[in-house]
Amino acid sequence: MVFEDLDLTDDVLDALYDMHFEQCTPIQEKAIPAALSGRDVIAVAQTGTGKTAAFLLPVINELGKREASDKIKCVVMTPTRELALQIDGQMQGFSYFLPISSLPIYGGTDGEGYARQQHGLKMGAEVVIATPGRLLAHLSMGYVDLSEVEFFILDEADRMLDMGFYDDIMQIAQRLPETRQTLMFSATMPPKIQKMARKLLHNPIEVKIAVSKPTDKVHQMAYLCGERRKEALLCHLFETINAKRVIVFASSKLKVKELARSLKRKNMAVGEMHSDLEQNVREEVMRKFRAGKIDVLVATDIVARGIDIDDITMVVNFDVPHDAEDYVHRIGRTARAGEEGVAVTLVGERERRKFKYIEDFFGKPVERGEIPAEIGDAIEEQCRDEKPQKRYGQARGRADKPRRRFQHRRHKRGSGGSTAVQS
């Protein structure tokens, strides 16, 4: 379906045309008509499928039919500062030919930044795009009026709950008119999301697109290797596959820092992204990555959701994600906007069971990559050296468990605690 087939105004269609948007994605094709009908909508779709346009376009379309206002008509809730800024950027593009104002509200700013947000809220904006905690902070000051809100949107709802925003969201919702239209978008639909949906939405239309499944445009591969040989294999991938516009996900901040330093020593254009960085530094890294000054971004899951770059060629899971949902969000950074991409997972000896769970979740195995001959022998030797029986005792501290149990039994049979200790 093309956007012209939807009941959108000429001003919205002109903006889409200028942005080279013609074909609807499946989530847009189903969610936009549902939202235009005035009904509440709960939409479930994987990341990178065009959800932002699916919830912004109906709101812009309706607000554009009216005179401009300085009252808040729409509140968009999103989990992170990065997403708030990206949604605001999309908002400005989609409403280019309309006098609709928008304002991003997020944490991580200094006193001057907070004051700018405060001034913007007092001056008025029709669409407020905010992280829950920061909006609640402004609300507590008494100068934010939500009495005329007509649209309440929750983006990445599952992620917001994972970050502990449930109470904040419910407090904000209590300040909104009951007659509002609520649109909830989520990549997954666990019980906690269903519970929140029952409280916030009224007789919603449900839209589900490929729930928790990676898009077919992603070519997935997995390499089984020893932990200490992952970096060598990663560098081999950079040599054989286009190493520009790549995100490498690692499991911890420490590993991100170490890997980024190591790759920089190999004269690679590398940036790092993790929560230890100041917000202005993170923004500068993202600007360089978008501009092509950084080829490889090494990151924690802080960017698994919330990075809106359409031409990322490859995603590498340096460590296996914690679960299938994290896997979906990570590899969803590539193969966006109809393009194709590559997602590679480096599976260490101790991670194989975890990766098997991910494959079982999707119902099919991921294609195995062939270990290069020049590092294959070293990898096989590494894997043989890592014996499961030894690792089990060392990693979990169980080497002396039988002795402790024996002492415990003697203690129970003995005449007193001192007898058991002395034996």
Side-chain angles (χ1 to χ4, degrees), residues 63-316:
L63 294 179
K65 297 176 182 178
R66 314 168 192 175
E67 293 185 2
S69 172
D70 60 357
K71 300 294 185 180
I72 300 175
K73 300 294 183 180
C74 173
V75 172
V76 181
M77 295 275 87
T78 193
T80 65
R81 169 185 179 138
E82 288 80 8
L83 268 175
L85 290 170
Q86 289 171 18
I87 294 171
D88 184 58
Q90 293 272 49
M91 178 73 197
Q92 294 180 37
F94 294 146
S95 62
Y96 185 80
F97 297 105
L98 294 165
I100 301 175
S101 57
S102 64
L103 178 66
I105 300 293
Y106 46 81
T109 60
D110 53 17
E112 184 178 346
Y114 188 92
R116 284 197 300 269
Q117 295 178 9
Q118 184 182 53
H119 177 72
L121 288 167
K122 288 180 178 179
M123 291 294 293
E126 289 183 87
V127 179
V128 170
I129 304 156
T131 54
R134 179 48 63 96
L135 180 58
L136 198 58
H138 283 291
L139 282 168
S140 66
M141 302 297 290
Y143 48 77
V144 181
D145 180 12
L146 301 182
S147 63
E148 295 191 23
V149 170
E150 300 176 28
F151 305 96
F152 186 42
I153 299 171
L154 296 101
D155 182 34
E156 300 279 11
D158 51 351
R159 178 64 170 164
M160 286 194 285
L161 294 198
D162 288 342
M163 295 172 67
F165 286 134
Y166 178 84
D167 291 337
D168 291 350
I169 292 171
M170 298 309 295
Q171 288 186 54
I172 292 169
Q174 290 174 2
R175 299 173 183 244
L176 302 176
E178 292 187 4
T179 55
R180 68 181 186 271
Q181 181 182 9
T182 303
L183 311 177
M184 179 184 290
F185 284 73
S186 181
T188 61
M189 190 53 62
K192 56 187 178 182
I193 289 292
Q194 298 175 24
K195 175 184 175 182
M196 187 168 71
R198 287 193 294 268
K199 291 186 175 182
L200 296 180
L201 282 72
H202 303 283
N203 189 28
I205 298 174
E206 295 187 12
V207 177
K208 294 184 179 180
I209 304 293
V211 180
S212 300
K213 302 293 181 181
T215 174
D216 293 336
K217 295 284 188 178
V218 180
H219 179 201
Q220 301 177 60
M221 296 184 66
Y223 289 84
L224 308 182
C225 62
E227 184 68 29
R228 286 177 288 179
R229 295 296 177 180
K230 283 187 177 183
E231 187 176 329
L233 184 53
L234 178 65
C235 292
H236 172 79
L237 290 172
F238 289 157
E239 294 172 0
T240 56
I241 302 176
N242 182 10
K244 293 186 180 295
R245 318 294 282 174
V246 177
I247 300 180
V248 179
F249 285 105
S251 59
S252 68
K253 294 181 289 187
L254 178 61
K255 187 170 288 188
V256 166
K257 296 173 185 178
E258 292 176 344
L259 182 57
R261 281 197 297 267
S262 180
L263 295 178
K264 287 176 183 176
R265 287 196 293 267
K266 295 178 172 62
N267 297 319
M268 301 185 68
V270 177
E272 59 186 80
M273 183 69 70
H274 48 78
S275 59
D276 279 352
L277 299 177
E278 296 292 335
Q279 189 60 44
N280 61 330
V281 177
R282 287 160 60 181
E283 291 177 358
E284 179 63 20
V285 170
M286 293 309 302
R287 279 194 292 269
K288 289 182 178 180
F289 189 51
R290 289 189 175 93
K293 297 180 180 179
I294 291 175
D295 294 328
V296 179
L297 182 66
V298 185
T300 60
D301 283 310
I302 192 172
V303 296
R305 309 191 199 195
I307 178 173
D308 190 16
I309 301 177
D310 290 338
D311 56 349
I312 292 172
T313 59
M314 180 168 66
V315 168
V316 179

Side-chain angles (χ1 to χ4, degrees), residues 308-377:
D308 190 16
I309 301 177
D310 290 338
D311 56 349
I312 292 172
T313 59
M314 180 168 66
V315 168
V316 179
N317 291 312
F318 194 81
D319 300 304
V320 175
H322 292 297
D323 53 42
E325 303 305 335
D326 288 339
Y327 180 83
V328 171
H329 289 298
R330 285 185 181 186
I331 71 173
R333 298 305 97 203
T334 188
R336 296 170 69 87
E339 298 296 326
E340 296 184 350
V342 177
V344 177
T345 303
L346 308 184
V347 185
E349 180 71 16
R350 302 182 186 184
E351 300 174 305
R352 295 187 183 185
R353 179 177 294 181
K354 187 193 300 185
F355 191 68
K356 181 64 165 55
Y357 289 151
I358 293 175
E359 291 181 309
D360 290 345
F361 181 84
F362 297 129
K364 61 180 180 180
V366 173
E367 176 186 346
R368 296 298 190 260
E370 184 177 349
I371 300 297
E374 59 268 28
I375 59 176
D377 293 341

Side-chain angles (χ1 to χ4, degrees), residues 30-49:
K30 293 189 176 183
I32 291 176
L36 289 174
S37 72
R39 295 267 303 277
D40 286 359
V41 176
I42 182 166
V44 182
Q46 66 206 45
T47 186
T49 55

